[in-house]
Amino acid sequence: MEFGLINAALLSFFFFLGFCSSEKAPNYSFMHQATTAPETSYYDYIIIGGGTAGCPLAATLSQNYSVLLLERGGSPYGNPNITNLSAFGLVLSDLSPTSPSQRFISEDGVINARARVLGGGSCLNAGFYSRAGTKYVNSVGWDGKLVNESYIWVENKVAFQPPVKQWQSAVRDGLVESGVLPYNGFTYDHINGTKVGGTIFDADGSRHTAADLLEYANPSGITVLLHASVHKILFNTKGVARPIARGVVFRDALGKKHKAYLKRGEMNEVIVSSGALGSPQMLMLSGVGPSAQLKAHNITVVLDQPNVGQGMSDNPMNAIFVPSPVPVEVSLIQVVGITHFGSYIEAASGENFAGHETQSDYGMFSPKIGQLSTVPPKQRTPEALEKAINAMSELDDAAFRGGFIIEKIMGPISTGHLELRTRNPNDNPSVTFNYFKQPEDLQRCVNGLKVIENIIESKSFSKFRYDTLSIPALLNLTAGAPVNLLPRHDNVSVSLEQFCKDTVMTIWHYHGGCQVGRVVDQDYKVIGIGKLRVIDGSTFTYSPGTNPQATVMMLGRYMGVRILNERLAKEKSHIN
């Protein structure tokens, strides 16, 4: 069998995890284009970012108060590249200025993406739904009862039990055979051993995102504005003991400026839910951050806060591609092995990762539009494109058949930082994650890869691998794909440490930048600022569970309920 250009399948997988679809468009009477917004408006709560945390937060607060939810992207509903399962990968290969995915490359040389769409990262992931562990909940000081209630609130709209077919079953059984025990069956809970987790894809294969949680919203209490790019938070600084947030400045798709202010009321707030890149970036653009960096960009310093943008982490992912001699089902992440040493083992498969319908359409690795096309952008001449297309069209379909077993590490311990590049909120900041800087992270990767090797060689998985392809051959095959911009070494098949470093990728679980105890307090209020909170994954010091999206959605609901309860208690105390 010819495996030349097999990295096409590799590249397609990493973005196969990135499509977003939804069964139908809810009739949200409160959702509008920002161009329709008045020049000035007033609300009890202004939420910056309609993502994984912002949507449940806005829906909850709207029950009792007026809420403005500002989303810089568009709706996830009605876009065929988002809604159609058959179009997977096209969202992340779309590099246009209004794409739901905004590509960025970390200073580490790892290609990544951030969401630019209502629903946020829940539109750009593999759909895996798994709660944080009990130890995690206790360690961050959350109320366990409210956490459980908030998870259930989310799950009633967006979480489902996946149909586990042959390939995923083989990985599951291979995990058990490899000693990742016990087998815990299907559960949302984070428990050591092997389990089938939840998914945000329903039985029809339609994705349900955080945007669907707006179905809980009070239509008369919420306004959602799309293509509303917030440029800065406004503060009162004169005659006050500390700066106090009072509103925001945002621009619509035509570039017209709008201002939204908080109504009078001591408990009304601006809440930033723009994600691990967007939230620290927004604070800095508004004058809250390291003073030297702000001054370098001619930003007026509201509060010198050197911890903004610090503690950036991303869970490193490494994968081994396993070509299959038999067809395999298309599957996203369904099974996970939660090891005792801090590595998570997951898998995805596809009968044809390429997804090509015509000779010139090869999905994510399309020579024309593919994010990781083998033809560099500056070399995409008509002649080069034709040559690449012809080479790919000659591949046997079997070259695209197979699946991936992936390993990602708990935590991680290694951290980096984020800095502004420009004063434009639509530009990506510069971010460094320092993958594997801490030896413990690298050891967890090595240990995880050893489990993957055991799965591949297990009796349970034997039907889905070629006997003629040894483990070293599979490692070299995988390492040959341009999955990142890092240099390659020749010894990856004998040094798992080198394989980890050379083939490191993201699984989009980056976090930090506005961490609890450093930038915000236990109530997610920005330290040193009044009427301003940050509620999203930027507050995490450690990624929760095997996949954070369930917990980020839960956090939006959890904090929404807490804020409502705080206001209710205060109002009662005033009456008494």
Side-chain angles (χ1 to χ4, degrees), residues 70 87 287 314 384 394 403 406 504:
L70 297 167
D314 186 27
E394 292 173 3
I406 69 173
V504 63

Side-chain angles (χ1 to χ4, degrees), residues 100-302:
S101 169
Q102 183 175 3
R103 180 186 181 185
F104 72 95
I105 300 173
S106 72
E107 299 303 314
D108 314 274
V110 173
I111 299 162
N112 213 319
R114 63 189 290 209
R116 183 167 48 194
V117 61
L118 189 71
S122 62
C123 291
L124 303 176
N125 62 26
F128 197 62
Y129 184 97
S130 186
R131 296 183 176 189
T134 304
K135 287 183 179 178
Y136 186 98
V137 172
N138 293 336
S139 70
V140 296
W142 291 335
D143 178 287
K145 182 174 181 293
L146 181 55
V147 164
N148 287 334
E149 291 171 354
S150 299
Y151 274 126
I152 292 169
W153 182 88
V154 170
E155 288 154 11
N156 285 339
K157 288 286 184 187
V158 304
F160 308 89
Q161 180 174 353
V164 181
K165 297 182 180 178
Q166 287 190 3
W167 200 84
Q168 289 281 341
S169 295
V171 174
R172 175 199 63 199
D173 296 344
L175 276 163
V176 173
E177 192 177 326
S178 299
V180 185
L181 299 167
Y183 175 58
N184 295 304
F186 166 70
T187 179
Y188 295 143
D189 292 335
H190 185 87
I191 314 168
N192 279 356
T194 297
K195 73 165 188 172
V196 176
T199 178
I200 59 175
F201 290 92
D202 64 22
D204 296 326
S206 295
R207 181 188 290 261
H208 294 258
T209 75
D212 291 11
L213 298 174
L214 291 170
E215 293 175 17
Y216 282 119
N218 171 11
S220 63
I222 187 172
T223 299
V224 176
L225 295 181
L226 302 176
H227 297 113
S229 178
V230 178
H231 280 243
K232 66 177 178 178
I233 302 163
L234 300 172
F235 297 98
N236 285 330
T237 57
K238 294 181 180 179
V240 292
R242 59 177 182 163
I244 299 172
R246 64 188 181 98
V248 301
V249 176
F250 66 94
R251 292 184 182 272
D252 61 29
L254 299 177
K256 183 180 178 182
K257 184 187 291 186
H258 304 259
K259 291 183 179 180
Y261 294 100
L262 295 177
K263 290 180 179 179
R264 288 188 177 180
E266 61 176 312
M267 300 192 75
N268 294 344
E269 293 176 313
V270 174
I271 303 174
V272 186
S273 297
S274 301
L277 266 64
S279 289
Q281 180 186 31
M282 179 51 54
L283 290 185
M284 290 184 194
L285 291 174
S286 305
V288 180
S291 60
Q293 188 181 154
L294 302 185
K295 290 174 182 176
H297 288 276
N298 294 318
I299 298 171
T300 301
V301 178
V302 174

Side-chain angles (χ1 to χ4, degrees), residues 453-474:
E453 291 179 351
N454 290 337
I455 294 169
I456 294 170
E457 293 180 330
S458 69
K459 181 179 179 183
S460 304
F461 196 75
S462 58
K463 138 182 206 184
F464 293 109
R465 64 160 298 191
Y466 287 90
D467 291 337
T468 54
L469 281 175
S470 65
I471 293 294
L474 293 176

